[in-house]
Amino acid sequence: MDSHQPLSDAQAGTATADREMIRFDKVVKRFGDNVVLNELDFTVSPGEFVTLIGPSGSGKTTILRLLMTLEKVDGGTIQVDGEYLSHMERGGKLVPADEKHLRKVRRHIGMVFQQFNLFPNMKVLQNITEAPMRVLGKSRAEAEERGRELLEMVGLSEKVDAHPSQLSGGQQQRVAIARALAMEPDVLLLDEVTSALDPELVAGVLAVLKDIATSTEITFLCVTHEMQFAKDVSDRVIMFDHGQVVEEAVPEKLFTSPEHERTREFLHAVIDREV
Amino acid sequence: MNWDWDYAIDSLPLLFQGIVVTVELTVLGALLAYALGLVLALVRQVRVPVLSQLVYLFVEFIRSTPLLIQVFAFYYLLQPALGLRLSPFVTGFVMLGIHYATYTSEVYRAGIDAVPKGQWEAARALSLPRGRVWTGVILPQAVPRVLPSLGNYTISMFKETPLLLAIGVLDVLNRAQEAASETFRYVEPVTLAGVFFLLVSYPASILVRKLERRAGTV
Ligand SMILES: Nc1ncnc2c1ncn2[C@@H]1O[C@H](COP(=O)(O)OP(=O)(O)OP(=O)(O)O)[C@@H](O)[C@H]1O
Ligand SMILES: [Mg+2]
């Protein structure tokens, strides 16, 4: 890392050298008395694939939901690509974001859910074209062409006219991935996207994700219990507990020689469960 | 008591006029109840400040008083007070529609609540505009589920049209009475009117039950 070296004027001007795609600054999130995130700090660089691990209830889903603006922070700030997400600047001061601001920043971010959440009233292709047409203002022809490309990419060309209910869980999840990609997100959030699948369908979905992760510039923030997958694709793994970062490292290091006892315990527990 | 076929047949034209009125009242009243009920449900769901509370009070008020009193009050008290002069027919279907809208609004609400939370979140994650979330995602899932309940209320409305006699609307039963009042023979016209209600309501409720089985009711 060369982040301690002084920046040249040119670098400072464009600020791309260590531009951050995601930045959490002392983020606090509570549900009633339950402090889920306790002054959480972490950053993710553009194009990075970061996996979040940690025990159940440690706040992994909450982090993704905050980024997707499905929840609001109780303290601290979140920035995406240098822009405040939780807040907005008004008259030189930071105030909590209003709905209009959220709508704007949300567009950079896509999310794939554990339960797929396809729209059952729309056919597969319309699930994918709906938002590009309504939100990005694409024409039907444009949106459908891109939709077909994406379906091909996730290996479901022949399901264009199917209804979601006619698909297996694995197929539905691949459609959901295509739907998220159709919005051309800078950041894609994956929350245990294979946990609801029958074991034999997991590999297909992970293969698609790996493909996308290696072939696009998208920044990934991923919560998964698939440790092999995490090892394969992650640039960095962050271990959470009690609403704070326990440690973070490249996967080779974190999975084989973690620094903290807490991480070791957690990895043991997960691996025991898998065997 | 004996049955006079000639007399029964003679009363048919008058009954038929009544049938038309009954069907018109039901159709118009039902359309109003479907539309207004949806509006009431949305106002409460979207939690428009003040308006939501007013709608809540309105719904509770209408549901806890009899339709007959509402019809009377609207026709003989409210309309003169407002300087309105709606015909008995229009008053009739409007009151039917408003009364039943308070029931259909609850039906819609249940249907909307039954749409999984994940659908809202997926729509939000795709940045769909709020109006489109309703028209493209939520209502297309909620409405088919509530069709059977809407159907049941439509049948109730159909069977309630006779009480509009109170303000002089001549539906089929009231026509039957009119026919009878000339001859003092009630059996034939009233029986025929009853048969008419049966002939429509019974198949309609079978249809609703079929819908229920298909839709997996709320
Ligand atoms: N909407 C909510 N209302 C109240 N408490 C909540 C809500 N969402 C999450 N929590 C609480 O916040 C804590 C963190 O939940 P979160 O879902 O982020 O954990 P997680 O790390 O994703 O766990 P898991 O691995 O089980 O998915 C938990 O204690 C949970 O009970
Ligand atoms: Mg979770």
Side-chain angles (χ1 to χ4, degrees):
Chain A
M1 290 285 261
D2 56 6
S3 58
H4 296 296
Q5 291 171 7
L7 294 172
S8 71
D9 283 351
Q11 276 173 319
T14 54
T16 49
D18 43 1
R19 199 177 115 217
E20 285 155 348
M21 189 48 93
I22 299 171
R23 178 181 190 92
F24 273 53
D25 254 320
K26 296 205 169 19
V27 170
V28 177
K29 178 65 191 174
R30 289 184 217 100
F31 292 105
D33 290 339
N34 182 5
V35 181
V36 178
L37 303 183
N38 187 10
E39 306 214 333
L40 175 67
D41 293 318
F42 75 94
T43 60
V44 179
S45 309
E48 213 183 357
F49 193 113
V50 171
T51 297
L52 307 180
I53 61 171
S56 179
S58 60
K60 305 178 299 292
T61 295
T62 303
I63 291 169
L64 300 192
R65 290 175 59 85
L66 284 169
L67 275 163
M68 197 63 259
T69 70
L70 298 173
E71 304 281 356
K72 289 201 164 89
V73 297
D74 295 307
T77 59
I78 300 175
Q79 291 172 58
V80 172
D81 204 4
E83 200 176 358
Y84 283 103
L85 175 115
S86 53
H87 294 71
M88 53 189 189
E89 284 160 295
R90 183 176 280 165
K93 275 199 296 190
L94 275 189
V95 296
D98 63 12
E99 190 52 40
K100 192 168 152 227
H101 179 79
L102 291 178
R103 253 203 310 277
K104 198 177 88 193
V105 289
R106 197 185 284 145
R107 282 203 204 164
H108 301 288
I109 304 170
M111 183 159 181
V112 182
F113 299 86
Q114 191 173 346
Q115 299 297 339
F116 335 131
N117 297 341
L118 293 182
F119 303 132
N121 55 310
M122 299 177 189
K123 288 183 176 178
V124 163
L125 188 61
Q126 199 196 342
N127 259 280
I128 298 173
T129 58
E130 178 68 18
M133 285 169 62
R134 304 274 168 180
V135 183
L136 302 182
K138 287 194 179 184
S139 72
R140 175 176 299 278
E142 244 180 315
E144 290 194 345
E145 193 191 326
R146 180 70 184 137
R148 285 171 204 279
E149 276 171 27
L150 287 166
L151 279 174
E152 196 181 326
M153 184 164 137
V154 299
L156 290 172
S157 293
E158 77 285 12
K159 300 292 184 190
V160 167
D161 286 320
H163 283 281
S165 58
Q166 297 165 323
L167 303 182
S168 74
Q171 291 171 331
Q172 290 190 48
Q173 193 60 298
R174 283 185 276 154
V175 173
I177 293 166
R179 179 174 72 172
L181 289 176
M183 287 299 285
E184 298 160 10
D186 299 320
V187 177
L188 192 56
L189 308 171
L190 309 173
D191 191 9
E192 300 196 32
V193 296
T194 57
S195 304
L197 299 179
D198 292 337
E200 72 273 19
L201 301 175
V202 169
V205 172
L206 294 182
V208 162
L209 286 174
K210 191 171 169 185
D211 212 38
I212 297 164
T214 47
S215 66
T216 66
E217 303 276 273
I218 297 173
T219 305
F220 280 84
L221 198 54
C222 169
V223 175
T224 183
H225 294 304
E226 298 290 335
M227 292 301 159
Q228 190 56 49
F229 171 72
K231 260 183 227 176
D232 286 353
V233 299
S234 308
D235 297 307
R236 188 156 50 108
V237 180
I238 306 183
M239 165 78 192
F240 280 93
D241 201 9
H242 299 301
Q244 289 195 310
V245 174
V246 176
E247 67 180 299
E248 52 182 302
V250 294
E252 299 76 33
K253 166 134 187 7
L254 195 119
F255 286 126
T256 51
S257 54
E259 309 242 311
H260 287 257
E261 186 51 34
R262 193 69 201 87
T263 314
R264 256 190 297 271
E265 281 167 20
F266 172 75
L267 289 173
H268 273 301
V270 174
I271 288 158
D272 285 349
R273 197 169 49 194
E274 277 177 354
V275 174
Chain B
M1 213 183 293
N2 51 359
W3 180 267
D4 181 343
W5 274 112
D6 289 340
Y7 176 57
I9 289 166
D10 281 348
S11 62
L12 279 180
L14 208 56
L15 280 179
F16 184 73
Q17 287 178 29
I19 287 176
V20 171
V21 172
T22 296
V23 170
E24 284 173 347
L25 284 170
T26 309
V27 169
L28 293 172
L31 290 178
L32 181 60
Y34 301 158
L36 182 62
L38 184 58
V39 172
L40 296 179
L42 289 178
V43 168
R44 288 185 61 186
Q45 204 81 22
V46 176
R47 297 206 192 85
V48 187
V50 187
L51 198 57
S52 285
Q53 282 85 341
L54 287 179
V55 165
Y56 172 78
L57 287 178
F58 177 75
V59 166
E60 289 304 308
F61 173 73
I62 295 281
R63 286 172 63 139
S64 46
T65 51
L67 175 57
L68 183 58
I69 293 182
Q70 290 161 16
V71 170
F72 256 129
F74 183 59
Y75 191 68
Y76 290 113
L77 303 176
L78 204 56
Q79 284 195 33
L82 295 173
L84 272 173
R85 281 216 54 86
L86 301 177
S87 72
F89 177 82
V90 171
T91 305
F93 88 73
V94 167
M95 281 317 292
L96 263 182
I98 291 177
H99 186 83
Y100 276 89
T102 63
Y103 291 94
T104 57
S105 76
E106 286 299 303
V107 167
Y108 286 119
R109 196 180 57 81
I112 291 165
D113 285 349
V115 175
K117 211 171 97 243
Q119 293 291 308
W120 291 95
E121 297 185 344
R124 192 151 178 185
L126 291 167
S127 303
L128 287 182
R130 200 141 97 139
R132 184 56 193 166
V133 177
W134 281 106
T135 60
V137 177
I138 304 304
L139 292 179
Q141 294 180 57
V143 172
R145 254 184 273 222
V146 303
L147 286 182
S149 305
L150 293 182
N152 276 328
Y153 279 121
T154 310
I155 296 172
S156 300
M157 293 174 77
F158 171 69
K159 290 188 294 191
E160 289 229 60
T161 55
L163 67 75
L164 297 176
L165 176 65
I167 52 170
V169 181
L170 294 175
D171 85 323
V172 61
L173 182 65
N174 302 334
R175 281 290 187 190
Q177 230 182 349
E178 187 184 272
S181 64
E182 289 162 15
T183 56
F184 302 103
R185 279 194 66 94
Y186 284 87
V187 185
E188 290 83 1
V190 172
T191 306
L192 287 174
V195 167
F196 165 71
F197 278 107
L198 187 69
L199 281 181
V200 175
S201 296
Y202 187 61
S205 52
I206 291 178
L207 191 78
V208 166
R209 231 163 292 148
K210 275 212 174 119
L211 269 179
E212 268 168 4
R213 236 170 289 137
R214 182 125 47 97
T217 334
V218 177

